[in-house]
Amino acid sequence: MLQQLIKSLGGWRLLLLFGLGVPATVTLAETSVFVSVAHAQGVIRQIAVEGNRRVEPETVRSYLRFSVGDAYNAGKVDASLRALFATGLFADVQIYQEGSTAVIAVVENPVINQVAFEGNSEVESDTLRGEVRLGPRSVFTRARAQADVQRILDVYRRQGRFAAWVEPKIIELEQNRVNLVFEINEGGATKVKGINFVGNQVFTDSQLRDIITTTESGWFDFLKGTAIYDPDRLSLDREMIRQYYLKNGYADARVIAANAEIDREASGFYINFTIDEGARYTFGGVEIQSSLPGVLPDSLYGHLLTQSGDTYNGADIDKTVERLTLAVAEQGYAFVRVRPRAIPDPVNRTISVVYLIEEGPRIYIERINIAGNGRTKDYVIRREFRLAEGDAYNPLLVDRAKKRLERLGIFETVKVSRAPGSARDRVIIDVAIVEKSTGELSFGAGFSTSEGVIGDVSITERNLLGNGQFLRLKLAGSFERFQIDLSFTEPRFLDYNLSAGFDIYHKEIDQSSESGFDSTRTGGQLRLGFPLAENLWMQTSYRFDYTTISDENCNGVITTTSQVICEEIARFGDKTITSAAAVGITYDKRNHPRDPTEGFYVSASADFAGLGGDVQYARLNAEARGYYPLTEKITLVGRAVGGHIEGWGDDSVRISDLYFRGGETIRGFDRAGVGPRDLGTNDALGGETFWAATAEIRFPIPFVPEDFGLSGAFFADAGSVFGASDLAEELGRTAGPTGINLADESSVRASVGASIMWKSPMGPLRMDFAETLSKEDFDEEQFFRFGASSRF
């Protein structure tokens, strides 16, 4: 008996009790307690599971950190509790011991029967259902429900509804099932009330607002979603600002902060960008170094876009790296790597660039996986890669493909990642995209002094049927004009870097007040464009149309109409068919797509009519624009434009093909107010040649907040329209009732004036006040002109 007691209590414990002289009764009582504890920590002979309905007992036992035959251990019990709770299968778990049996008592989480949404009107239930993770036949847990609440709130925040709140509720059913209902209060849309920039001196707030994708709240917010605050879009805008500065020579430019602050009423956000512009750099020395045998640097300098003395442009460095990579790869070096090394000189504000050409790692593309394109077809995405399965892997070309996908404008986000392939020299490229809405309905209205009330409606789709194609239907009109256009463009015709498309149009123009006739033109054209070099683009086209000229006075007594119109109708008929081919070229080096302050733009085109049809002519048009910053906010703008049309064969140029110019080209003159004219009827006859030149100084209006979008300009215009048609000249030499009193002078017309420009919510508007300096007596003047702003 004594030996058993010593074994149970431990010899030192018993000796301690006797040594202290504790009474025997107390000793026996304490002995019984210690025996009980020893029994609780005994060996587990059985594990019983209670309370489970769906989950098998063996499944529960598989998560335990102890098993039959182990000693009952508190640490292992705690670890088993954590493992069981982590499964998400149970609302409650208890583990206790009954004799030699460990009892696992569980309360299972209910199974969801269905998930419903209540209170949502701005976001479709199907959209929310695609965001949440809980669904029918899944196990309900409060943690998962709260996670889905956050996902729903994220959806609403992307739509600018930061006041939305969501509460999950359950409806208990039989057999431990529940219906999960998310009760939603959407709140109001929280839009962007203002966008401010701090630290910008080179570019104005207005110019930077044009660069970013977020816009301030305005009258037509329901047509677009860019006026709604979106944190992801804010991050994109921050990078776009930085890239814009890099493009224009500011290599040290940084966007220090991009913050969104909600106003006190929680009705809108104010976005603030803090910018450190730094100094402007030019390119210093540009050098190519090669460590590859057989690759001679001298043969590659023609691929450089970075030239010594040019304004520093980070985008040109990236493009040069791509061009050098492709050029060396074409020489048989598939695993080439081109690394640009920039060497800044802060004192002289130059950056020298050395392009290092070396051999890269030998890795091949095993597979390209595309995910997320529910609408866009696979080939639209794959054709933007200059790589295919089995090709040598080049991270630069993969990155370029990602940027090309982003520039398509049909994806919300594009993520390209790399995963190991089936072998060490194989790699898998995973492309994950998020598509965005590419359809757009827009309309506008306004007033023009030349046409009266004007308006237009257009429907645009930039990803037609998931093929990446562009389609637009537009209707525009005024009291003197009606026009309907249907345009279609395939950006990658036959999977080449060719842009192909067609246009179908119908135009009705009332020129009775200026030239005494109406015209209707119906037809279409085919287009094919392709790049010749960086910033250089060529466009070719073929046009076929049917034109009708009408004047009711030609059927009776000629009174207010020009004899030229009636004679043309008598000789050639009132209906003509034109079959013409055209070619054009454009070179664009402006620093801003819509509001440039530096750079130049040049375009030229040639039309040749006579490939069948009723008319035969050759026409040349050209235009050049230049922008020079006088100060940080004042820009000098120059423009020159001209054109000439000449009939060939026995044909005279028809009046509907001549140039009619006025205040839209030389301000201070009325519509069709310059050029050959019939003095008897005061009708404009159009000219075969025109030219015009403009010098303009643009500036912000003093004491007017820049946020209003108002600016001013002083301008000087000069130009001329001359060269009446052969028919007009013939009738001008004819005496009697069939002749006309022709006035045709090539003298220079000139004017000066001032303009007020407003970037209104309806679009850019412009008011011109002009005073003519030189003109002909038969020209028609116009002091004030108001209408849509023509950017140049």
Side-chain angles (χ1 to χ4, degrees):
M1 186 71 180
L2 181 60
Q3 290 178 348
Q4 292 179 349
L5 182 60
I6 294 173
K7 184 177 181 182
S8 300
L9 297 178
W12 65 269
R13 181 75 176 182
L14 185 60
L15 290 174
L16 180 61
L17 290 176
F18 283 108
L20 292 175
V22 180
T25 54
V26 176
T27 304
L28 291 175
E30 289 193 5
T31 300
S32 65
V33 171
F34 283 102
V35 170
S36 177
V37 171
H39 179 74
Q41 294 180 345
V43 176
I44 299 171
R45 301 301 181 186
Q46 184 178 0
I47 299 177
V49 179
E50 297 179 355
N52 59 309
R53 296 183 180 181
R54 300 184 315 275
V55 183
E56 295 292 332
E58 286 304 320
T59 303
V60 176
R61 294 188 185 100
S62 67
Y63 289 99
L64 300 178
R65 297 298 183 261
F66 56 85
S67 58
V68 174
D70 293 343
Y72 191 89
N73 182 281
K76 292 184 178 181
V77 169
D78 289 342
S80 300
L81 286 171
R82 289 194 295 269
L84 288 169
F85 274 114
T87 64
L89 298 173
F90 310 107
D92 189 23
V93 181
Q94 294 181 6
I95 301 178
Y96 56 92
Q97 188 177 20
E98 289 184 351
S100 61
T101 300
V103 180
I104 318 298
V106 299
V107 177
E108 294 179 344
N109 278 317
V111 173
I112 296 175
N113 180 57
Q114 65 178 19
V115 178
F117 304 90
E118 292 183 358
N120 57 307
S121 58
E122 294 296 327
V123 181
E124 296 289 339
S125 295
D126 289 342
T127 302
L128 297 176
R129 196 168 286 112
E131 292 289 333
V132 300
R133 298 293 182 264
L134 291 175
R137 295 183 298 277
S138 62
V139 177
F140 171 84
T141 68
R142 293 188 180 277
R144 291 178 179 177
Q146 289 301 322
D148 280 345
V149 166
Q150 188 58 48
R151 293 185 181 95
I152 295 172
L153 289 175
D154 289 342
V155 173
Y156 278 97
R157 286 170 181 169
R158 288 197 295 269
Q159 297 199 3
R161 296 182 176 272
F162 284 79
W165 57 265
V166 181
E167 182 178 356
K169 292 187 176 180
I170 60 173
I171 302 173
E172 294 185 359
L173 305 175
E174 58 183 9
Q175 298 179 352
N176 201 25
R177 295 179 302 125
V178 295
N179 287 340
L180 175 60
V181 180
F182 291 99
E183 292 187 355
I184 301 170
N185 185 324
E186 297 182 319
T190 313
K191 297 185 178 180
V192 177
K193 284 189 172 181
I195 302 175
N196 305 309
F197 300 88
V198 179
N200 56 309
Q201 300 294 327
V202 179
F203 300 107
T204 65
D205 287 10
S206 177
Q207 288 175 306
L208 295 179
R209 287 192 195 100
D210 282 343
I211 292 298
I212 62 178
T213 59
T214 304
T215 60
E216 293 180 342
S217 178
W219 294 353
F220 298 99
D221 291 344
F222 63 92
L223 295 177
K224 54 187 179 180
T226 54
I228 297 173
Y229 171 65
D230 184 346
D232 293 336
R233 188 184 296 120
L234 184 63
S235 300
L236 173 62
D237 290 341
R238 182 173 184 164
E239 179 62 18
M240 292 181 71
I241 293 173
R242 190 184 73 87
Q243 292 294 336
Y244 181 61
Y245 272 95
L246 287 177
K247 174 185 175 183
N248 287 281
Y250 296 89
D252 298 330
R254 296 180 301 141
V255 181
I256 300 173
N259 303 318
E261 300 177 356
I262 196 165
D263 61 8
R264 294 181 179 178
E265 295 78 20
S267 59
F269 279 93
Y270 287 90
I271 296 177
N272 303 302
F273 293 96
T274 303
I275 301 171
D276 179 11
E277 294 181 324
R280 191 180 195 190
Y281 288 81
T282 58
F283 283 113
V286 180
E287 185 181 354
I288 300 176
Q289 296 180 3
S290 173
S291 62
L292 297 179
V295 176
L296 302 178
D298 291 343
S299 65
L300 299 173
Y301 278 93
H303 297 280
L304 295 181
L305 297 175
T306 54
Q307 302 296 332
S308 179
D310 288 353
T311 300
Y312 176 81
N313 187 333
D316 283 347
I317 293 180
D318 293 340
K319 293 175 183 177
T320 298
V321 170
E322 181 178 5
R323 294 179 66 165
L324 290 174
T325 301
L326 293 174
V328 177
E330 289 175 353
Q331 297 182 21
Y333 295 87
F335 302 97
V336 67
R337 180 169 56 189
V338 180
R339 293 190 297 111
R341 186 177 66 188
I343 306 171
D345 183 353
V347 176
N348 298 313
R349 293 184 178 179
T350 62
I351 297 179
S352 299
V353 183
V354 178
Y355 296 98
L356 304 175
I357 301 175
E358 56 192 15
E359 187 172 4
R362 293 179 173 272
I363 303 176
Y364 299 89
I365 298 175
E366 180 175 321
R367 192 168 63 253
I368 299 177
N369 297 327
I370 299 175
N373 56 323
R375 183 174 180 227
T376 307
K377 297 177 181 177
D378 265 22
Y379 79 89
V380 175
I381 300 170
R382 291 183 184 275
R383 70 188 182 187
E384 298 303 325
F385 285 82
R386 302 297 187 262
L387 300 165
E389 284 87 347
D391 288 349
Y393 173 77
N394 189 306
L396 171 67
L397 300 184
V398 172
D399 183 64
R400 287 291 167 268
K402 177 179 180 291
K403 292 182 178 180
R404 280 191 290 268
L405 288 171
E406 292 172 335
R407 285 197 295 265
L408 291 178
I410 61 178
F411 303 124
E412 196 75 44
T413 60
V414 178
K415 294 182 179 179
V416 179
S417 58
R418 168 182 168 177
S422 58
R424 295 182 60 183
D425 62 344
R426 296 292 187 270
V427 65
I428 298 173
I429 299 175
D430 294 318
V431 184
I433 65 170
V434 176
E435 296 176 314
K436 67 179 180 181
S437 176
T438 55
E440 180 180 303
L441 171 64
S442 64
F443 63 88
F447 181 81
S448 169
T449 53
S450 60
E451 297 187 40
V453 177
I454 58 177
D456 64 79
V457 178
S458 66
I459 301 175
T460 305
E461 173 54 62
R462 299 188 301 276
N463 189 14
L464 183 64
L465 301 177
N467 293 315
Q469 300 161 336
F470 175 89
L471 180 68
R472 181 178 64 191
L473 175 64
K474 182 177 181 179
L475 286 83
S478 65
F479 290 139
E480 297 186 354
R481 173 177 55 90
F482 172 76
Q483 181 173 341
I484 179 171
D485 296 277
L486 176 65
S487 297
F488 172 83
T489 302
E490 167 56 69
R492 294 291 301 277
F493 184 59
L494 299 177
D495 279 342
Y496 291 104
N497 195 14
L498 300 174
S499 172
F502 65 83
D503 304 293
I504 301 174
Y505 52 84
H506 175 79
K507 304 176 183 179
E508 298 177 4
I509 303 176
D510 181 1
Q511 293 181 257
S512 56
S513 60
E514 298 91 7
S515 303
F517 70 94
D518 301 335
S519 66
T520 300
R521 188 185 296 267
T522 303
Q525 69 171 349
L526 300 175
R527 295 176 277 105
L528 183 66
F530 49 92
L532 296 177
E534 193 69 26
N535 303 314
L536 185 64
W537 187 264
M538 175 171 282
Q539 184 82 34
T540 60
S541 64
Y542 169 77
R543 175 171 57 90
F544 183 91
D545 61 40
Y546 178 80
T547 304
T548 301
I549 298 178
S550 62
D551 193 320
E552 59 184 11
N553 292 314
C554 290
N555 298 323
V557 179
I558 300 174
T559 54
T560 60
T561 190
S562 172
Q563 178 63 34
V564 177
I565 306 300
C566 297
E567 186 65 25
E568 181 174 306
I569 293 175
R571 292 191 184 186
F572 307 112
D574 59 349
K575 300 177 178 61
T576 58
I577 293 176
T578 302
S579 176
V583 60
I585 190 169
T586 300
Y587 187 70
D588 192 351
K589 284 286 288 183
R590 295 173 296 177
N591 67 341
H592 194 283
R594 292 181 294 274
D595 194 11
T597 59
E598 187 176 0
F600 59 91
Y601 169 93
V602 179
S603 67
S605 64
D607 296 37
F608 183 82
L611 307 175
D614 302 321
V615 296
Q616 298 176 332
Y617 66 76
R619 176 167 54 197
L620 297 174
N621 290 309
E623 181 178 11
R625 312 173 202 166
Y627 306 85
Y628 183 79
L630 299 177
T631 68
E632 292 178 353
K633 296 185 177 182
I634 301 176
T635 304
L636 173 64
V637 181
R639 181 196 189 199
V641 60
H644 177 74
I645 186 171
E646 185 78 35
W648 61 278
D650 297 329
D651 262 9
S652 170
V653 179
R654 310 294 171 90
I655 192 169
S656 58
D657 295 320
L658 295 173
Y659 295 107
F660 290 84
R661 293 292 184 267
E664 78 287 347
T665 305
I666 311 171
R667 283 163 286 194
F669 294 88
D670 200 357
R671 182 182 180 189
V674 180
R677 189 172 300 275
D678 182 354
L679 299 181
T681 61
N682 203 37
D683 285 335
L685 301 178
E688 293 183 341
T689 304
F690 89 98
W691 67 271
T694 292
E696 183 171 285
I697 296 177
R698 297 177 181 172
F699 54 88
I701 297 179
F703 310 112
V704 175
E706 192 174 350
D707 293 347
F708 287 1
L710 285 173
S711 60
F714 294 118
F715 63 82
D717 289 349
S720 184
V721 181
F722 56 92
S725 66
D726 294 343
L727 178 58
E729 291 181 355
E730 177 186 333
L731 295 177
R733 296 189 296 268
T734 303
T738 59
I740 63 171
N741 188 1
L742 175 64
D744 183 7
E745 296 292 340
S746 61
S747 59
V748 176
R749 280 75 156 180
S751 65
V752 294
S755 301
I756 297 176
M757 295 168 284
W758 179 33
K759 292 181 179 179
S760 74
M762 297 181 297
L765 301 177
R766 181 168 183 147
M767 292 181 288
D768 295 317
F769 304 87
E771 182 69 31
T772 58
L773 300 179
S774 62
K775 70 179 190 68
E776 294 296 330
D777 293 337
F778 54 85
D779 292 335
E780 295 186 355
E781 298 177 78
Q782 183 185 71
F783 172 73
F784 172 72
R785 180 179 177 84
F786 170 78
S789 172
S790 56
R791 290 258 174 212
F792 59 84

